[in-house]
Structure formats: C-alpha cells, structure tokens
Amino acid sequence: MLDLLDAELLGIITLTLRMTLMSTTISAILGIPLGLWLDRADFTGKRLVVAINRTLMASPPVVVGLVVYLMLMRNGPFGFMGLLFTFEAMVLAQVLLITPIICGIVYTASARNSERIHLFAQTMGANRWQTKILLIRELSNELYFAIVTGFGRAMSEVGAIMIVGGNIRHHTRTMTTSISLLRNRGEIDQAIFLGILLMLIAFAVQLLISLIRRKERRTDENF
C-alpha cells in the first residue's frame, strides 16, 4: 500500500526523477550537436541518415528495451559489465529512445532557419564560433521544445525500462512501472493516485524550466 509520505513511494519518485533528468541531459548533450551537425554537413547518404533518424524517433520502446536487454544479458556482447536490471541500464535504454527525438527536432528547426542565420552572421562579420553561438541563441525556443519533448518521453516511459530494469522493488521500480504493477494487481485507486502524482511532478518540472527561461530572457533584455 503506497501512502503519500511512504518511504517506498519517496524512493520511487526520487529514482524516477534521477533517471529522467540524467537520461534527458545525456540525450540533449548528444542530440543537439548531432542535429546541428546533420543540418550543416554535406555527405553522400545524408538523406538516408535523416530517414533512419526519423524512423528511430518513432521506435517502439519495447523494441529498444529488447535490444538493450540482448546487449546486456549474460551471453550478450556487454554482459560482462553486469548492467542488466540496474539503474544504468534504464538510463541507457532511455538515451537510445530520446536522443533521436531531440536530434530530429533540432535538425528540422536548424534546416528551416540556419541559412538565414548564417547569412546574417556573415554580413555582421561574425567568426565561426560567434556564428555558432548566434545560431544556438536564435534556435533557443526550438532547443527548449526538443529538450522538453525528450523529458516528457523519458518521464512517461514504461516498456523499455520494464524490460531492462526488471521493476525490482527498492532498486529499479519507477512511477510508471509501479502504475503498471498496481493496475495488474487491481489496485486501481493507487494506480490513479500515482498517475496524478506523476503528472503533477512533470508539470512542476516544466514550470520550473519555464521560469528559469523567462528569467534568462529578462536578463538578456536588460543587457
């Protein structure tokens, strides 16, 4: 029975937030530069790479979870690392899910605006790094949308982390896997409560990020 101030529930919430924030941060660090690079790069097979990335954006979580499971299982290529049914395995699965999403959103936004931004930078005599900084500043709204989208996907994920994490009590049980478990047990009231709590936490994090961005905008305007 999960109560509002229950230690187990607090542990589940903490684990969920740690996993979501870590996987989103790693995915943003990987996905944003990849998306910007993919827009400016010119190489044979670029269209194929873009098509593959767009396919990965819609990857079924259970398929990604299965791939990671096969990689980390005892007889798998990385089985010697002993990561299966661990926090790290869940983060890895989420990174594989979220990175293509962030990369695809950033690529699309950059493809629509980068030419205009680069032309403006050239007319202003900006060097290479100044142009990159200008591009990032001009695409800040799109980058924010990409990160928030990735965060939402990570927060709501259940299929992949269920497979690679195992939903182990006090170890790899998250809010979404707990909701699935409670539903299977027929404890619908508790599942609904946890679902509402999950939505409230997601909303609070989004609100906090929005407030930080608003403060940054005001600081920039003052300068």
Side-chain angles (χ1 to χ4, degrees):
M1 186 74 173
L2 294 175
D3 298 319
L4 184 60
L5 297 178
D6 186 75
E8 181 178 354
L9 176 57
L10 293 177
I12 289 172
I13 294 173
T14 302
L15 178 65
T16 302
L17 289 175
R18 282 179 55 219
M19 180 186 64
T20 302
L21 292 173
M22 184 175 293
S23 58
T24 303
T25 300
I26 295 173
S27 297
I29 292 173
L30 295 174
I32 292 176
L34 282 173
L36 294 174
W37 172 81
L38 190 58
D39 169 46
R40 302 302 298 174
D42 186 15
F43 57 91
T44 303
K46 177 178 178 178
R47 291 185 177 181
L48 177 60
V49 172
V50 172
I52 291 173
N53 184 81
R54 288 175 176 169
T55 301
L56 293 175
M57 291 175 69
S59 298
V62 290
V63 174
V64 174
L66 178 61
V67 171
V68 176
Y69 177 87
L70 294 175
M71 291 171 56
L72 299 181
M73 63 185 297
R74 181 174 299 178
N75 296 328
F78 301 103
F80 64 94
M81 301 178 69
L83 293 178
L84 192 60
F85 304 137
T86 65
F87 173 82
E88 290 77 11
M90 296 192 297
V91 170
L92 175 60
Q94 288 207 327
V95 168
L96 293 178
L97 277 170
I98 303 168
T99 300
I101 295 175
I102 294 179
C103 177
I105 294 175
V106 172
Y107 165 75
T108 301
S110 181
R112 290 175 180 172
N113 300 284
S114 64
E115 197 65 35
R116 169 182 58 81
I117 296 171
H118 277 82
L119 288 174
F120 175 77
Q122 289 177 3
T123 60
M124 297 299 293
N127 59 33
R128 179 182 176 185
W129 289 106
Q130 289 172 331
T131 301
K132 289 183 177 181
I133 293 173
L134 177 63
L135 177 64
I136 293 174
R137 288 176 64 89
E138 290 296 315
L139 295 178
S140 60
N141 287 333
E142 288 77 7
L143 299 182
Y144 167 74
F145 175 73
I147 294 172
V148 168
T149 301
F151 176 85
R153 179 66 180 266
M155 196 75 172
S156 61
E157 174 52 35
V158 59
I161 61 176
M162 181 79 80
I163 294 175
V164 301
N167 195 25
I168 303 172
R169 189 178 184 184
H170 303 305
H171 188 52
T172 58
R173 183 165 295 173
T174 66
M175 296 183 74
T176 52
T177 58
S178 295
I179 291 172
S180 177
L181 178 64
L182 290 168
R183 191 266 304 170
N184 292 336
R185 290 177 176 176
E187 300 178 22
I188 304 302
D189 292 343
Q190 291 291 337
I192 293 174
F193 164 73
L194 208 54
I196 294 173
L197 187 59
L198 177 64
M199 294 295 294
L200 290 174
I201 292 174
F203 174 77
V205 173
Q206 305 273 8
L207 181 61
L208 178 61
I209 295 174
S210 297
L211 291 175
I212 293 174
R213 292 189 71 246
R214 187 177 302 175
K215 185 176 181 179
E216 290 177 348
R217 288 178 180 175
R218 289 177 179 175
T219 302
D220 291 340
E221 289 174 357
N222 291 334
F223 283 103

